[in-house]
């Protein structure tokens, strides 16, 4: 077998707040050191050798995923003006093909807008960031990342002729916008683009105005955000009247509007930022609808007249939906004559459609009807609704036993129609699976929801169990469907999601209860869920594997340190485990913007809080479970060295003989491989590891 890699220890001392801490694997941060790449390659070779006995199972699971997937498939057409836009995949091809046809036309009238497979040739990694058709439907603008570092380059083509008008391959000298972030919007003149650029720490910090075919040196900086806690976003209203520039930290918002008909006009401030006040906006008619936490912990809905100058102070905002205990107001979707209000109650999404054309003093948003959902545990949200003037609303729906589905609601008739559902091929009877939500009790008495799915005919109780967790950024973990997961369920594995504090399942208090000084609640909640599943005979106590990624990887690292006895295995994907050192380095992408989530450890009290739970800081000589850890060499969100340092320290410290494996994607970033077949193989590798640890091979 390939020799176990050993990362040498080199002297390095961190000195801060009167403390000195040895960090002998600090040298792994130097990506230009040939020894770093050699070490990562050696770890990859070792992991491949250690998992060689699973080669057959990996191939079997990959083939199962592939056999259930309709490889040649296309999305529903999204109507917009005189056209219908859709995306398709072709069997054997890794990437999506974007097409359009005249509205109501036949397939032979179709035009290929962008074939990602052609653009991806010669690249180990390929991802489209933004793809946008000009308002007159003549030009296509798109951005591409070929490294996984989330730095995008712009191309603009003439749809009719295929001529490249802007970008690296444009004939005009000096063309080619690079180092773009997410966010690309056309002005209504069909020649001006607005895009988001980043600072040296890869923080999206400014919006530029670019005229197609001109030298980027002539671009105009429309807005710059100098406060390093904030990042800049860009979008367009569905009404096509405004281009919106949003500045947000984790706790504070500020928005500006620009007249889409006049791309050189001044920005209009909606409301000046106030610390701790968040708000989001959408345009409808002669007003803005605004979702804000100003005066409502779980947000309320207001309206305001359109801003008319560069100052937003003093605008009269009127309440449409007030604060309600236990209901989190997530957002509003605006159309010409109706608005859809998105809320979350008891961890479940609700959507209510309001006929704003019938608004009155008694019903300032108009009469509303809640969209009924067919299952007790599910996830739902708005779909591809490109048109402002419409009486039809599309929304997506899924559950742990129902594949992603697209419904359309006819507001005139109040009837809804299932337009599409993700096919699951093969001899699969989805009625043979069951889902349920239970609650576990955390040490402080808090009840934590747990969503579960299993196959009764395959499972033997107590079951081998995979427990998933995240718990950060107020992001709810959706109880959604997974085709790949069926390979576990069919082998008798119980799959569960622990909806721990720090996520957004149960409103703002749930989030606040798992961040900053309260972060340990996230870890305690997850451990309580695992213990509850074992104590109530849902899960076999000796066969529980934990899985989480990114901030959920921090959760994995914490429970590996605090509760190694609860798990026989842990999968930590691109895990944020070197929290303290990362948060002490403002030059790392995203660090300063993360202070509101984790705290600024330049404050001694915050330093001690983070040090108390940071996984890399707290590795001890205990019997760790089997570990599979992944990383991406070009990952700008969680630097590759975090999992690499953690694995090196675990190996040097643990008393366990169970495998500790590190697998680094050498040409990818935070999301792993970009091609769909590569992604399936990657998932098959992880699922095979889980099956092996659970002894269900």
């Amino acid at each position: 077998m390939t020799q176990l890699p050993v990362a040498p220890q080199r002297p390095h001392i961190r000195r801060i707040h009167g403390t000195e801490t040895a960090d002998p694997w600090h040298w792994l941060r130097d990506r230009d050191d040939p020894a770093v790449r050699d070490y990562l390659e050696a770890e990859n070779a070792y992991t491949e050798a250690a998992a060689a006995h699973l080669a057959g199972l990996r191939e079997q699971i990959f083939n199962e995923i592939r056999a259930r997937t309709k490889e040649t498939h296309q999305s529903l057409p999204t109507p917009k003006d005189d056209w219908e836009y859709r995306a398709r995949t072709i069997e054997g091809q890794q990437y999506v093909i974007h097409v359009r046809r005249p509205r109501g036309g036949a397939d032979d009238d179709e035009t290929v807008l962008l074939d990602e497979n052609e653009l991806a040739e010669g690249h180990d990694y390929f991802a489209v960031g933004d793809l946008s058709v000009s308002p007159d439907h003549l030009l296509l603008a798109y951005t591409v990342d070929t490294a996984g570092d989330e730095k995008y380059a712009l191309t603009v083509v003439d749809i009719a002729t295929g001529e490249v008008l802007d970008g690296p391959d444009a004939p005009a000298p000096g063309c080619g916008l690079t180092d773009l972030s997410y966010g690309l919007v056309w002005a209504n003149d069909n020649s001006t683009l607005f895009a988001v650029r980043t600072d040296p720490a890869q923080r999206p910090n400014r919006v530029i105005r670019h005229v197609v075919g001109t030298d980027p040196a002539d671009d105009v900086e429309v807005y710059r955000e100098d406060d390093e806690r904030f990042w800049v976003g860009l979008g367009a209203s569905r009404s096509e009247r405004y281009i919106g520039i949003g500045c947000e930290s984790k706790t504070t918002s500020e928005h500006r509007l620009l007249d889409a008909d006049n791309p050189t006009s001044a920005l209009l401030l909606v409301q000046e930022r106030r610390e701790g006040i968040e708000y989001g906006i959408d345009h409808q008619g002669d007003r803005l609808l605004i979702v804000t936490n100003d005066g409502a912990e779980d947000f309320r809905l207001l309206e305001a007249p359109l801003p008319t100058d560069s100052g937003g102070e003093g605008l009269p905002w009127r309440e449409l939906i007030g604060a309600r205990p236990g209901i989190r107001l997530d957002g509003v979707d605006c159309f010409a004559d109706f608005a859809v209000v998105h809320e979350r109650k008891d961890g479940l999404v609700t959507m209510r459609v309001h006929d704003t054309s019938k608004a009155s003093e008694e019903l300032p948003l108009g009469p509303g009807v809640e969209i009924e959902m067919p299952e007790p545990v599910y996830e739902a949200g708005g779909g591809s609704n490109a048109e402002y003037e419409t009486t039809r609303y599309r929304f997506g729906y899924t559950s742990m036993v129902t594949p992603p589905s697209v419904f359309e609601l006819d507001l005139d008739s109040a009837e809804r129609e299932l337009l599409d559902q993700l096919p699951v091929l093969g001899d699969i009877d989805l009625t043979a699976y069951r889902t349920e939500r239970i609650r576990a009790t955390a040490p402080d008495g808090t009840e934590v929801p747990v969503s579960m799915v299993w196959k009764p005919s395959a499972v033997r109780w107590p079951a081998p169990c995979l427990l998933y967790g995240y718990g950060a950024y107020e992001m709810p973990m959706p109880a959604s469907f997974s085709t790949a997961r069926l390979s576990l369920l069919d082998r008798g594995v119980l799959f569960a999601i622990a909806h721990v504090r720090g996520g957004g399942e149960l409103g703002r208090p749930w989030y606040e209860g798992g961040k900053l000084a309260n972060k340990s609640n996230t870890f305690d909640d997850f451990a309580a869920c695992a213990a509850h599943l074992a104590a109530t005979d849902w899960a076999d106590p000796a066969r529980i594997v934990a899985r989480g990624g990114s901030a959920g990887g921090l959760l994995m690292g914490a429970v590996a340190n605090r509760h190694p006895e609860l798990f026989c295995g842990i999968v930590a994907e691109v895990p944020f485990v070197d929290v303290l050192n990362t948060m002490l380095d403002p030059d790392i992408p995203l660090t300063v913007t993360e202070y509101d989530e984790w705290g600024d450890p330049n404050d001694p009290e915050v330093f001690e809080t983070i040090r108390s739970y940071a996984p890399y800081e707290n590795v001890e000589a205990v019997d760790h479970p089997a570990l599979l850890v992944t990383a991406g060499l070009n990952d700008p969100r969680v630097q590759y060295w975090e999992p690499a340092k953690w694995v090196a320290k675990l190996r040097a410290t643990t008393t366990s003989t169970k495998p500790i494996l590190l697998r680094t994607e050498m040409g990818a970033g935070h999301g792993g491989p970009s091609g769909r077949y590569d992604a399936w193989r990657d998932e098959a590798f992880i699922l095979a590891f889980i099956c092996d640890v659970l002894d269900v091979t």
Side-chain angles (χ1 to χ4, degrees):
M1 181 172 172
T2 302
Q3 186 175 359
L4 178 70
V6 176
Q9 301 186 37
R10 301 178 183 176
H12 180 84
I13 301 295
R14 181 188 68 210
R15 295 180 175 86
I16 186 172
H17 303 316
T19 68
E20 292 190 354
T21 305
D23 185 4
W25 294 281
H26 178 85
W27 65 273
L28 286 169
R29 292 169 53 114
D30 185 2
R31 68 173 67 241
D32 295 326
D33 183 347
V36 171
R37 181 174 285 270
D38 290 345
Y39 171 69
L40 296 176
E41 295 282 15
E43 286 284 3
N44 283 350
Y46 177 77
T47 295
E48 196 62 38
H53 67 292
L54 299 174
L57 180 60
R58 287 161 54 185
E59 190 66 20
Q60 182 180 352
I61 293 175
F62 170 80
N63 288 331
E64 290 170 2
I65 296 171
R66 186 170 185 176
R68 297 187 199 107
T69 303
K70 189 176 181 181
E71 295 178 66
T72 298
H73 185 59
Q74 60 186 4
S75 68
L76 283 172
T78 297
K80 177 62 176 170
D81 300 329
D82 295 330
W83 300 94
E84 293 176 345
Y85 292 85
R86 68 197 314 167
R88 73 161 51 96
T89 54
I90 303 295
E91 183 175 353
Q93 296 186 1
Q94 292 265 31
Y95 297 98
V96 171
I97 301 170
H98 303 271
V99 301
R100 79 173 181 191
R101 68 185 182 191
R103 193 163 186 160
D107 287 345
D108 55 7
D109 293 330
E110 190 174 85
T111 298
V112 174
L113 300 176
L114 188 70
D115 187 339
E116 295 187 16
N117 299 283
E118 293 181 359
L119 295 178
E121 289 182 6
H123 299 290
D124 293 332
Y125 181 93
F126 178 85
V128 171
D130 287 288
L131 187 148
S132 181
V133 175
S134 59
D136 62 6
H137 300 270
L138 297 180
L139 306 181
L140 174 71
Y142 62 91
T143 61
V144 164
D145 167 19
T146 56
D149 57 5
E150 300 181 39
K151 296 179 181 179
Y152 292 89
L154 171 71
T155 296
V156 182
V157 298
D158 183 304
I159 295 173
T161 66
E163 179 186 1
V164 177
L165 305 177
D166 204 330
D169 300 323
C175 281
L177 270 174
T178 58
D179 293 336
L180 298 178
S181 184
Y182 303 101
L184 186 70
V185 177
W186 286 96
N188 289 338
D189 65 359
N190 302 295
S191 62
T192 303
L193 281 165
F194 292 86
V196 178
R197 305 205 72 164
T198 59
D199 65 9
Q202 211 167 331
R203 175 180 65 98
N205 75 322
R206 61 196 189 277
V207 173
I208 56 97
R209 185 175 71 237
H210 175 74
V211 177
V212 173
T214 64
D215 190 329
D218 297 327
D219 291 346
V220 176
E221 185 178 284
V222 176
Y223 180 79
R224 175 184 288 263
E225 176 55 58
D226 293 323
D227 189 330
E228 291 183 318
R229 298 175 305 144
F230 286 75
W231 65 96
V232 173
L234 183 66
S237 64
R238 184 179 283 108
S239 65
E240 299 181 342
R241 182 170 172 180
Y242 291 109
I243 295 166
I245 297 174
C247 305
E248 298 188 47
S249 73
K250 293 290 191 296
T251 62
T252 305
S253 307
E254 185 177 75
H255 292 272
R256 290 168 173 81
L257 296 174
L258 186 147
D259 185 347
D261 289 330
N262 186 2
T264 62
S265 61
L267 296 179
L268 304 175
L269 178 64
V270 176
Q271 188 179 68
E272 190 174 31
R273 69 187 64 173
R274 290 180 289 153
E275 186 65 33
I277 301 301
E278 301 167 61
Y279 69 95
I281 62 175
D282 203 354
H283 168 243
Q284 186 186 55
D286 61 356
R287 65 179 178 177
L288 298 177
L289 292 188
I290 298 170
V291 174
T292 181
N293 68 339
D294 188 6
E297 183 178 39
D298 270 329
F299 292 72
R300 58 187 178 133
L301 182 65
L302 309 176
E303 70 169 358
L306 301 174
T308 56
D309 54 41
S310 59
E313 285 297 318
L315 288 175
W317 292 19
R318 182 170 73 129
E319 183 175 273
L320 302 180
I321 298 177
R324 291 153 297 160
I327 299 178
R328 171 65 155 91
L329 181 54
D330 282 337
V332 62
D333 224 359
C334 287
F335 299 82
D337 294 315
F338 69 95
V340 182
V341 176
H342 300 263
E343 299 171 341
R344 192 173 285 271
K345 181 180 180 181
D346 295 329
L348 295 173
V349 169
T350 62
M351 291 185 291
R352 200 168 56 253
V353 181
H354 289 265
D355 186 346
T356 55
S357 69
K358 298 179 181 177
S360 64
E361 286 298 322
E362 295 77 19
L363 297 171
L365 196 58
V369 177
E370 185 173 319
I371 300 175
E372 294 183 2
M373 304 297 173
E375 296 173 290
V377 182
Y378 61 88
E379 192 68 29
S384 55
N385 297 286
E387 296 189 304
Y388 182 61
E389 300 277 353
T390 182
T391 59
R392 307 182 75 85
Y393 180 71
R394 285 186 184 178
F395 64 94
Y397 176 90
T398 184
S399 77
M400 298 178 86
V401 296
T402 302
S405 309
V406 178
F407 289 87
E408 188 168 78
L409 178 67
D410 186 321
L411 275 71
D412 291 332
S413 65
E415 294 180 356
R416 72 176 174 187
E417 177 184 3
L418 175 62
L419 299 182
D420 191 33
Q421 187 174 83
L422 181 73
V424 181
L425 305 183
D427 187 21
I428 302 293
D429 177 11
L430 294 178
T431 65
Y433 302 85
R434 297 287 181 271
T435 184
E436 185 175 334
R437 180 168 286 177
I438 61 173
R439 292 181 182 268
T441 303
D444 64 0
T446 300
E447 290 192 343
V448 184
V450 183
S451 298
M452 305 184 299
V453 62
W454 69 95
K455 187 177 184 180
S457 63
V459 73
R460 291 187 178 182
W461 305 107
C465 176
L466 175 61
L467 181 62
Y468 189 89
Y470 187 74
Y473 303 116
E474 203 172 5
M475 288 180 58
M477 278 296 100
S480 55
F481 185 82
S482 166
T483 300
R485 188 191 300 145
L486 296 177
S487 292
L488 291 181
L489 305 185
D490 289 349
R491 288 172 170 81
V493 176
L494 170 70
F495 177 81
I497 302 171
H499 300 285
V500 294
R501 278 175 283 184
E505 287 86 346
L506 295 173
R508 180 52 59 88
W510 196 252
Y511 169 49
E512 299 284 358
K515 65 179 289 194
L516 297 174
N518 296 322
K519 190 61 202 171
S520 286
N521 287 334
T522 303
F523 319 137
D524 292 342
D525 288 358
F526 191 82
C529 290
H532 179 78
L533 289 170
T536 53
D537 292 332
W538 282 103
D540 180 346
R543 292 196 295 167
I544 302 177
V545 170
R547 183 178 183 180
S550 194
L554 162 60
L555 169 58
M556 296 301 102
V559 297
N561 289 336
R562 296 182 175 204
H563 302 283
E565 76 288 350
L566 289 177
F567 306 100
C568 64
I570 291 177
V571 177
E573 298 169 88
V574 290
F576 181 37
V577 283
D578 196 13
V579 186
L580 190 54
N581 288 317
T582 290
M583 296 307 296
L584 282 168
D585 187 347
D587 294 329
I588 294 176
L590 307 180
T591 290
V592 176
T593 64
E594 297 285 294
Y595 285 162
D596 288 331
E597 180 75 22
W598 312 104
D600 180 359
N602 292 295
D603 178 323
E605 185 175 345
V606 174
F607 174 87
E608 291 301 332
T609 296
I610 297 177
R611 187 164 70 161
S612 72
Y613 68 73
Y616 181 68
E617 304 288 323
N618 290 282
V619 173
E620 295 180 353
V622 298
D623 283 345
H624 292 94
L627 282 136
L628 173 59
V629 184
T630 71
L633 184 63
N634 299 327
D635 189 345
R637 297 171 184 256
V638 175
Q639 303 295 322
Y640 73 89
W641 62 71
E642 295 203 31
K645 290 174 60 180
W646 183 48
V647 165
K649 190 172 184 179
L650 282 166
R651 290 250 188 82
T653 309
T654 188
T655 58
S656 173
T657 58
K658 293 180 179 179
I660 299 174
L661 307 179
L662 174 64
R663 194 170 190 242
T664 303
E665 290 290 339
M666 303 302 288
H670 199 62
S674 57
R676 59 173 177 158
Y677 293 102
D678 294 338
W680 294 348
R681 288 200 177 278
D682 187 63
E683 181 66 6
F685 184 96
I686 293 172
L687 294 184
F689 172 85
I690 292 169
C691 288
D692 188 42
V693 174
L694 290 175
D695 193 24
V696 293
T697 56

